[in-house]
Amino acid sequence: MLTAPALHPPRGRGPEEGGVIAIRKRLRMLRTSERGATAIEYGLICALIVIAMIAGLESLAGGSSSMWGRVLTNVSAVM
């Protein structure tokens, strides 16, 4: 032969060696896993908490902006 052998020949099982069965088994295992669902639930809970915090901070912003306006007026009057 005139060609050099491949340094890293392809590895793994083909369909004739049970590879498809192994792939199907792995897909079934992933389908029944609930880790991703739990992560999504925690993400949704965090999102709801952040939305509640934003709503609370917006209601506080109205009161604090008038307070800072009074401070500015008093500081301007003194200077």
Side-chain angles (χ1 to χ4, degrees):
M1 299 249 200
L2 297 175
T3 59
L7 293 176
H8 300 288
R11 302 175 82 181
R13 297 183 299 180
E16 65 279 354
E17 296 176 343
V20 173
I21 294 170
I23 292 170
R24 286 182 182 164
K25 183 178 177 183
R26 180 72 175 163
L27 288 174
R28 277 191 211 108
M29 205 169 61
L30 287 173
R31 186 175 59 196
T32 59
S33 174
E34 294 184 5
R35 284 180 58 186
T38 304
I40 290 172
E41 290 170 358
Y42 281 126
L44 290 173
I45 290 170
C46 288
L48 289 174
I49 291 171
V50 168
I51 289 171
M53 288 173 59
I54 290 172
L57 289 174
E58 283 181 356
S59 67
L60 289 174
S64 66
S65 66
S66 63
M67 178 193 71
W68 289 115
R70 285 189 307 243
V71 169
L72 178 65
T73 305
N74 291 337
V75 169
S76 297
V78 171
M79 295 187 137

